[in-house]
């Protein structure tokens, strides 16, 4: 039998060290609670922050002081809370210390957008480029130059980027930063984040890759903060069609991260070939190529990739207003087919809102009423299950904006790391 008396006692951490670590973790958690409250509910006095979070007033005073020291909040104009008592100084998010950078590589452009912590755009630039024809190497060269220019611009203003999120249209491996399959731009197994790191002038902060529709949904949900909308589908219309799904306030990614590839639902009775290699996909009915094909023959200015998309949409709108029969028929056809797919999503997911983004924001007002009619006709639940169909107000900036929001997420999760 071993001599237990001779055995060395196991090393145990002093209780004061454990308690100190626990207090530190609780404090960091509470810093995030306060910062997220200000993001989601807007400026409020320290007394109101205490009431909303349930934290003691002295604790809130200390937390706010620490957030001010970190440059993440500021105290501004006063406001009286109730009919009596001294007016309280409001605590606001501060947009002058850190920002998130969102980048979208789309079929016809590269866009870079920097958002301050308070959601204010600090830098925005879009460069027209035929991404599929240019090839991954040239596009990554361009993207790196635009990211470098963005970082230089915001840093000259004293703002520090804390993260960069890149959006591409297709299936991504977020863990490795690889665009696994993006048929709309002709990319397969492109190491996006590694490629950008090798090209950037200085080592970047956190660099991530995600799907464009998912990031667009995050941007749309950020606009809905403070409302009763917590279940949303954001359908992004470009050459391809994708969706980001918000369920109970969280982005739905699926078991493998591939949720939202709605553009490839087999809905086309004519079984037209799709860029993905299959036939009959929904995006062949309602994607950008579809409406341009229906509205004009090849050789028309609507098909000229050298013309900015917004200018082509302006031409399409002019023709519709002038009563051009082909343009109006094209819009009517796409509206019917768009309503068909949205109704299917509403039946399966029962969202409170479906937001139509991307190119739909430019001409969707000419189709939205018909889309709503089709949704109400086809959804099984009464009154379309309470689903409202809206147009996005973000246009083609949604994915980059969502990327910037995602990059800022680490600040809201753990402000002390900033």
């Amino acid at each position: 039998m071993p001599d237990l008396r001779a055995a060395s006692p196991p090393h145990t951490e002093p209780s004061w060290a454990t308690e100190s670590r626990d207090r530190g973790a609780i404090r960091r958690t509470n810093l995030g609670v306060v910062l997220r409250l200000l993001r989601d509910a807007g400026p409020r006095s320290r007394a109101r922050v205490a009431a909303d979070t349930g934290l003691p007033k002295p604790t809130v005073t200390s937390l706010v002081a620490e957030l001010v020291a970190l440059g993440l909040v500021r105290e501004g104009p006063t406001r009286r809370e109730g009919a009596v008592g001294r007016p309280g100084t409001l605590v606001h998010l501060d947009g002058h210390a850190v920002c998130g950078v969102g980048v979208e590589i789309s079929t016809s452009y590269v866009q870079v957008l920097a958002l301050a912590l308070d959601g204010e755009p600090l830098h925005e630039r879009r460069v027209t480029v035929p991404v599929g024809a240019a090839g991954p190497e040239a596009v990554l060269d361009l993207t790196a130059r635009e990211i470098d220019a963005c970082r230089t611009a915001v840093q000259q203003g004293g703002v520090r980027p804390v993260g960069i999120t890149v959006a591409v249209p297709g299936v991504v491996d977020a863990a490795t930063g690889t665009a696994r399959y993006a048929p709309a731009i002709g990319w397969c197994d492109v190491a996006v984040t590694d490629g950008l790191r090798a090209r950037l002038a200085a080592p970047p902060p956190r660099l991530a890759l995600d799907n464009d529709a998912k990031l667009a949904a995050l941007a749309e949900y950020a606009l809905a903060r403070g409302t009763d909308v917590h279940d949303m589908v954001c359908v992004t219309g470009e050459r391809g069609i994708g969706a980001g799904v918000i369920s109970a306030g969280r982005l739905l990614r699926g078991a493998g991260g591939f949720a939202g590839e709605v553009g490839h639902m087999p809905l086309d009775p004519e079984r037209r070939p799709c860029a993905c290699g299959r036939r009959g996909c929904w995006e062949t009915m309602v994607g950008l190529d579809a409406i341009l094909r229906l509205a004009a023959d090849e050789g028309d200015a609507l098909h000229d990739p050298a013309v900015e998309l917004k200018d082509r949409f302006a031409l399409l709108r002019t023709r519709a207003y002038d009563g051009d029969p082909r343009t109006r028929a094209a819009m009517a056809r796409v509206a019917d087919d768009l309503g068909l797919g949205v109704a299917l999503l509403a039946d399966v997911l029962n969202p409170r809102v479906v937001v139509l983004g991307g190119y739909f924001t430019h001409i969707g007002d000419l189709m939205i009423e018909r889309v709503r009619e089709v949704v109400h006709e086809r959804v099984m639940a009464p009154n379309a299950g309470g689903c409202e169909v809206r147009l996005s107000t973000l246009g083609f900036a949604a994915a980059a904006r969502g990327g910037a929001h995602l990059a800022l997420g680490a600040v809201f999760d753990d402000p002390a790391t900033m």
Side-chain angles (χ1 to χ4, degrees):
M1 177 179 291
D3 185 356
L4 298 179
R5 293 173 299 176
S8 299
H11 174 74
T12 58
E13 189 176 37
S15 61
W16 59 262
T18 303
E19 291 170 2
S20 176
R21 188 174 65 246
D22 289 346
R23 285 197 300 269
I26 292 170
R27 185 169 187 81
R28 290 169 68 152
T29 297
N30 287 339
L31 286 170
V33 167
V34 172
L35 201 63
R36 290 191 296 274
L37 173 67
L38 297 174
R39 176 195 66 188
D40 297 341
R44 53 237 302 110
S45 69
R46 282 175 287 174
R48 179 71 182 276
V49 170
D52 289 344
T53 61
L55 296 169
K57 290 181 181 180
T59 299
V60 168
T61 296
S62 177
L63 293 171
V64 168
E66 187 169 346
L67 291 170
V68 169
L70 290 168
L72 302 179
V73 305
R74 59 184 172 83
E75 295 190 272
T78 59
R79 181 175 67 187
R80 187 177 299 281
E81 303 281 357
V84 297
R86 293 184 302 171
T89 301
L90 295 182
V91 184
H92 306 249
L93 291 180
D94 193 336
H96 297 90
V98 298
C99 71
V101 177
V103 181
E104 183 186 10
I105 299 173
S106 188
T107 58
S108 58
Y109 61 84
V110 171
Q111 175 154 326
V112 178
L113 171 68
L115 280 188
L117 193 68
D118 59 3
E120 183 70 22
L122 302 177
H123 174 93
E124 186 171 8
R125 177 172 157 81
R126 181 186 300 150
V127 180
T128 299
V129 57
V131 170
E137 297 301 313
V139 172
L140 291 178
D141 287 344
L142 169 63
T143 304
R145 289 196 299 271
E146 292 301 318
I147 293 173
D148 282 336
C150 173
R151 293 171 73 185
T152 298
V154 298
Q155 286 168 349
Q156 286 175 345
V159 183
R160 178 170 59 92
V162 295
I164 302 169
T165 309
V166 182
V168 295
V171 176
V172 305
D173 183 341
T176 63
T178 303
R180 288 296 181 202
Y181 185 53
I185 56 177
W187 288 14
C188 184
D189 291 329
V190 175
V192 177
T193 56
D194 284 349
L196 288 175
R197 282 192 187 95
R199 291 168 167 82
L200 292 170
R206 285 183 298 271
L207 180 60
L209 181 71
D210 215 321
N211 170 266
D212 60 344
K214 290 183 176 64
L215 293 177
L218 289 179
E220 296 292 347
Y221 187 58
L223 287 183
R225 285 194 182 110
T227 70
D228 64 346
V229 175
H230 302 290
D231 295 271
M232 169 190 291
V233 176
C234 176
V235 178
T236 300
E238 229 267 13
R239 184 184 178 195
I241 299 293
V245 181
I246 302 291
S247 178
R250 293 183 176 275
L251 181 65
L252 184 66
R253 292 189 176 274
F258 306 141
E261 292 296 328
V262 301
H264 303 289
M265 297 186 297
L267 298 180
D268 181 13
E270 297 180 28
R271 294 185 53 76
R272 282 175 286 250
C274 178
C276 72
R278 301 173 181 84
R279 288 181 172 272
C281 295
W282 187 37
E283 69 182 42
T284 67
M285 305 164 71
V286 299
L288 179 58
D289 288 349
I291 194 160
L292 297 181
R293 180 189 73 245
L294 292 167
D297 294 328
E298 289 293 334
D300 190 282
L302 288 179
H303 293 278
D304 186 352
V307 179
E308 286 271 5
L309 275 175
K310 62 181 179 60
D311 295 328
R312 286 191 266 170
F313 292 133
L315 177 58
L316 198 62
R317 293 182 68 87
T318 298
R319 291 179 182 177
Y321 284 131
D322 289 345
D324 176 64
R326 181 166 179 176
T327 302
R328 291 198 165 190
M331 289 190 170
R333 171 74 176 273
V334 170
D336 279 350
D337 292 341
L338 186 56
L340 172 68
V342 170
L344 179 58
L345 295 174
D347 270 333
V348 172
L349 299 169
N350 187 214
R352 173 68 179 78
V353 173
V354 172
V355 180
L356 303 180
Y359 91 80
F360 300 124
T361 64
H362 292 266
I363 57 175
D365 58 311
L366 303 178
M367 303 186 289
I368 188 69
E369 291 307 321
R370 179 55 187 160
V371 174
R372 288 168 176 158
E373 289 175 5
V374 174
V375 170
H376 278 262
E377 289 168 1
R378 288 187 168 270
V379 172
M380 289 292 295
N383 193 33
C387 175
E388 177 186 350
V389 183
R390 301 178 185 171
L391 291 177
S392 170
T393 59
L394 298 177
F396 289 116
R401 193 177 184 95
H405 279 298
L406 189 62
L408 286 168
V411 182
F412 290 102
D413 289 340
D414 190 355
T417 62
M418 297 300 110

